[in-house]
Amino acid sequence: MDYQKLAARLFPDVVQTPQDMELRFPPRALPEGAVVSRMAPSPTGFVHLGNLVQGFTSERLSHQSGGVHFLRVEDTDAKREVPGAVQVLIESLRHYHITFDEGATVDGDAGDYGPYRQSHRAQIYHIYAKFLVEQGMAYPCFCTEEELGAMRARQEAEKVNFGYYGPFAVWRDRPMEDIEAELAKGTPWVLRFRSTGSIENKIKFTDLIKGNLELTENDMDHVLLKSDGIPTYHFAHAVDDHLMRTTLVVRGDEWLPSLPFHVQLFRALGFRLPKYAHIGPLMKMDGTSKRKLSKRKDPELALTYYRAQGYPTEAVSEYLMTILNSNFEDWRRANPDAPLESFAFSIKKMNPAGSLFDVDKLRDVSKNVISRMNAAQVYAYVLDWAQQFDPEFAAALSRDPMTSTAIFAIGRGGKKPRKDLAVWSEAKAYMGFFFDEFFVMEDAVDPKFAKADICLALRAFAANYNPADGQDVWFDKIKTIAQTLGYASDMKAYRASPDAYRGSVADVSMFLRIAVTGKLNSPDMYEVMRILGAERVRARIDAMLAAL
Ligand code: GLU
């Protein structure tokens, strides 16, 4: 077979050669050890935790090493593409501080190794497709869907492996006349790889996360170019990662079974194989067993979930670090205020089997992250969240930003900051009572207290309340009321003989808390009253008195 002739017949428009590409995309001038890595997502419009995990890993490894991190958009599957998806993707990643030195931008490209959208790289793939045909390493296949279906049925009946290989690779060694005849008829064709592998052989391979592996060689003549001339993932991966001078491919371990094919392809193309890090899946507990997070069953897989719930992006990043690197939590305890970027991310600390994702743990991390923020930050974040998800609340919050900030300042700062909030969507339940329009009597006083007794305590407080009092005076007054009305003002004394009292000062405080906040749990009462102002404190006490 004259492969040159076949190549020229299949790719009449290709005039450039792999050498031309080598000159156009020269090796990068980077210091020894600098990692070039990338994100290569498909623009489906669905950005998920898996993308973040992959992106954090490739971003950290390249930037920590003084290398390059780039974004390549794998948009070869037009059926799956959603308009605006690239923008959503880039913005979501930026939100989580996954940054790129080069690559696809919202409306174009930045960098010398582009185009960075696979849909703009058809000519480049065809140069290499032609090259492989010239070398006798690729050939056209004219099988129709029906023929492939029949082949599959036969394989099923014969109980042999499915696929296009060995005796089933019917176009592998067909004479030029047959090919010419089909081309003349205009029969659609795909370009297939001529595999020289055998499933009798194993290849040895070292993955940076999975360790030493032995994988079965590939014997399939997989498709390189589809009938529309668009490459498959495999072919594009080899061409792109070579020409973009990727040194480390970080991707999900669903690609591990394809690796033997990729190794063959790189070799056939004369490319040096990059290093690979295959990340295990994110899993969750389902009852007592673990399973992969699923798009269908688990809303928490989508990044939009975190935005809608109001998780600070820092909390999500921080939590993902804890599940990605086993030593991260210790580091965080030792460096509570250090920026995430100063943690030395290590691929060796990644679990080859994947990470267990736990929303409760994420909430704890988030509480910690939020507790370290100052009131102005919390206000800004809650307002930003509310503007999108609860405009009424946003309007209330922004009516008086100083007061709103003061509310968020309660219990904040100091050695032991309160950890009330895990997500911004909880802010309204936490402090909505400050706004008359959201104030509701959520909780009731324990029915063991007689209404008349509650009224007595509330009236006594209202009569003595002076908004100018300092915290100690304010509390002494409550204690005095307690004592006068037969409640223990000292908790120890109360615990020693509870029957000797109507209750304790804590119960009197609880009456007030319910009157003023409508809830059994609230931020510090003294601060709450100070911010509410005397008029509203009295009005709420009056309202409760009237209701009792
Ligand atoms: N587009 C592929 C995916 O989304 C990229 C895999 C890779 O990083 O090479 O799974």
Side-chain angles (χ1 to χ4, degrees):
M1 163 79 86
D2 182 345
Y3 294 131
Q4 298 291 330
K5 190 172 150 210
L6 176 60
R9 181 76 176 84
L10 295 177
F11 300 99
D13 301 329
V14 173
V15 287
Q16 286 183 297
T17 65
Q19 286 71 27
D20 295 326
M21 295 298 101
E22 290 298 313
L23 293 173
R24 182 165 150 204
F25 304 107
R28 294 167 184 271
L30 286 169
E32 183 76 19
V35 171
V36 179
S37 194
R38 81 298 187 276
M39 277 190 86
S42 302
T44 58
F46 179 65
V47 194
H48 53 84
L49 281 183
N51 295 122
L52 276 196
V53 165
Q54 188 283 328
F56 276 137
T57 309
S58 56
E59 190 277 337
R60 284 294 75 212
L61 294 172
S62 39
H63 286 156
Q64 268 179 196
S65 68
V68 175
H69 191 228
F70 69 85
L71 174 67
R72 179 172 71 232
V73 172
E74 306 221 319
D75 54 354
T76 54
D77 190 350
K79 285 197 292 295
R80 290 176 68 208
E81 194 167 343
V82 171
V86 175
Q87 181 160 356
V88 170
L89 181 72
I90 292 176
E91 281 167 7
S92 313
L93 297 173
R94 190 184 303 138
H95 226 59
Y96 288 93
H97 304 289
I98 296 181
T99 55
F100 302 101
D101 308 295
E102 63 184 62
T105 59
V106 170
D107 48 10
D109 266 353
D112 295 334
Y113 289 83
Y116 296 92
R117 278 174 173 75
Q118 290 184 330
S119 58
H120 296 188
R121 297 175 64 79
Q123 285 178 334
I124 298 177
Y125 302 124
H126 289 188
I127 294 170
Y128 287 94
K130 183 179 180 191
F131 168 78
L132 288 178
V133 175
E134 284 169 348
Q135 306 299 307
M137 289 188 282
Y139 62 90
C141 162
F142 297 87
C143 282
T144 60
E145 287 297 326
E146 293 69 41
E147 285 168 324
L148 292 175
M151 184 185 289
R152 202 182 154 84
R154 219 178 95 206
Q155 288 167 336
E156 191 160 18
E158 291 175 15
K159 295 197 170 34
V160 295
N161 288 342
F162 291 129
Y164 201 95
Y165 62 97
F168 300 101
V170 289
W171 279 93
R172 195 181 159 109
D173 292 310
R174 288 285 266 271
M176 189 68 188
E177 302 81 74
D178 290 6
I179 295 174
E180 281 292 359
E182 294 300 329
L183 289 175
K185 277 194 278 179
T187 312
W189 53 275
V190 301
L191 190 73
R192 286 187 183 271
F193 181 65
R194 184 190 296 271
S195 174
T196 52
S198 154
I199 53 167
E200 303 300 319
N201 301 335
K202 299 273 178 208
I203 62 162
K204 282 195 176 16
F205 178 80
T206 304
D207 183 86
L208 296 191
I209 297 174
K210 305 269 177 188
N212 293 333
L213 302 170
E214 249 193 27
L215 302 166
T216 303
E217 237 176 41
N218 168 54
D219 68 338
M220 302 275 168
D221 284 4
H222 287 301
V223 174
L224 301 174
L225 291 180
K226 294 177 256 182
S227 57
D228 52 6
I230 301 286
T232 55
Y233 165 75
H234 315 285
F235 188 44
H237 155 51
V239 171
D240 293 347
D241 280 314
H242 171 70
L243 291 181
M244 295 176 183
R245 306 292 171 179
T246 303
T247 64
L248 171 65
V249 171
V250 178
R251 63 184 180 187
D253 68 358
E254 68 274 18
W255 294 111
L256 205 49
S258 313
L259 190 83
F261 174 38
H262 299 162
V263 172
Q264 285 178 315
L265 253 180
F266 274 79
R267 195 171 297 145
L269 289 160
F271 299 159
R272 185 165 162 196
L273 198 68
K275 292 198 168 92
Y276 285 89
H278 286 94
I279 303 183
L282 280 175
M283 288 170 297
K284 72 185 271 185
M285 292 309 291
D286 195 349
T288 50
S289 55
K290 277 188 206 172
R291 65 164 173 79
K292 281 190 203 182
L293 277 178
S294 111
K295 185 172 169 178
R296 199 167 46 81
K297 291 191 211 156
D298 306 309
E300 69 268 32
L301 188 59
L303 291 195
T304 46
Y305 170 86
Y306 300 90
R307 171 87 186 127
Q309 293 282 311
Y311 280 97
T313 51
E314 296 93 312
V316 178
S317 307
E318 182 96 3
Y319 175 62
L320 287 183
M321 279 301 171
T322 67
I323 60 173
L324 284 182
N325 261 206
S326 48
N327 56 332
F328 179 80
E329 274 180 285
D330 287 343
W331 175 85
R332 179 46 89 203
R333 266 189 287 276
N335 304 278
D337 301 314
L340 208 60
E341 295 72 41
S342 61
F343 171 69
F345 186 88
S346 165
I347 209 160
K348 294 199 186 70
K349 302 283 183 191
M350 293 178 82
N351 185 342
S355 309
L356 192 60
F357 183 83
D358 175 358
V359 173
D360 292 335
K361 190 78 204 290
L362 166 63
R363 285 180 57 83
D364 285 346
V365 170
S366 194
K367 282 184 182 174
N368 277 319
V369 166
I370 294 176
S371 76
R372 288 199 297 267
M373 293 179 182
N374 65 36
Q377 286 170 310
V378 175
Y379 169 66
Y381 277 122
V382 174
L383 182 61
D384 177 61
W385 175 86
Q387 274 161 347
Q388 187 174 352
F389 297 98
D390 189 347
E392 212 191 348
F393 184 38
L397 282 170
S398 53
R399 216 157 40 219
D400 179 356
M402 292 266 280
T403 301
S404 298
T405 309
I407 296 170
F408 287 118
I410 303 177
R412 200 158 283 284
K415 278 225 154 48
K416 273 208 166 275
R418 285 187 68 114
K419 295 181 181 169
D420 304 282
L421 290 177
V423 288
W424 308 134
S425 54
E426 289 169 1
K428 195 179 188 177
Y430 168 72
M431 50 77 88
F433 67 82
F434 276 99
F435 304 98
D436 290 337
E437 65 261 53
F438 305 130
F439 174 75
V440 273
M441 275 292 169
E442 252 171 60
D443 296 326
V445 173
D446 188 329
K448 79 176 181 201
F449 295 100
K451 286 186 180 175
D453 288 339
I454 303 169
C455 289
L456 277 179
L458 291 179
R459 276 203 197 95
F461 179 83
N464 288 289
Y465 180 53
N466 179 353
D469 288 343
Q471 182 144 17
D472 291 345
V473 175
W474 173 86
F475 192 52
D476 281 343
K477 283 185 177 173
I478 298 177
K479 280 205 243 178
T480 308
I481 294 168
Q483 228 161 7
T484 319
L485 298 177
Y487 299 80
S489 61
D490 177 278
M491 289 308 286
K492 240 204 222 136
Y494 177 64
R495 264 180 237 115
S497 45
D499 295 339
Y501 304 95
R502 275 184 205 286
S504 76
V505 66
D507 295 314
V508 176
S509 299
M510 181 257 293
F511 305 159
L512 285 170
R513 191 180 296 276
I514 297 224
V516 171
T517 70
K519 290 147 47 109
L520 281 166
N521 287 306
S522 79
D524 182 80
M525 276 305 292
Y526 174 76
E527 292 294 334
V528 167
M529 289 193 186
R530 215 174 47 78
I531 294 173
L532 275 176
E535 203 179 308
R536 284 202 294 161
V537 169
R538 286 185 204 285
R540 288 188 183 182
I541 291 176
D542 286 348
M544 177 141 156
L545 284 169
L548 276 170

